[in-house]
Amino acid sequence: MSRCPECDAEIEIPDDVISGEIISCPDCGMDYEARVIEGEGVRLVPAEIEGEDWGE
């Protein structure tokens, strides 16, 4: 279990989470990327959202 850095809601992190997996906050909808750090556990960092490149 972790807390959303944006709204402080509880975010349930699956036991089998892998690095790079996107986890969404159930309250505010913010997307986070899970980073599994050996010896520390799981760290949530804001997911980078890439915009569409329409060739402009």
Side-chain angles (χ1 to χ4, degrees):
M1 189 76 64
S2 185
R3 292 233 174 238
C4 175
E6 187 72 21
C7 70
D8 204 37
E10 290 184 353
I11 300 175
E12 188 168 335
I13 299 174
D15 292 336
D16 59 348
V17 68
I18 56 173
S19 272
E21 188 171 335
I22 301 297
I23 297 176
S24 297
C25 174
D27 283 6
C28 70
M30 185 81 172
D31 289 333
Y32 295 98
E33 180 180 336
R35 291 194 180 158
V36 179
I37 301 170
E38 205 168 299
E40 290 185 32
V42 179
R43 186 174 181 189
L44 296 178
V45 295
E48 291 184 29
I49 300 171
E50 294 184 23
E52 293 288 332
D53 180 8
W54 300 100
E56 296 177 3

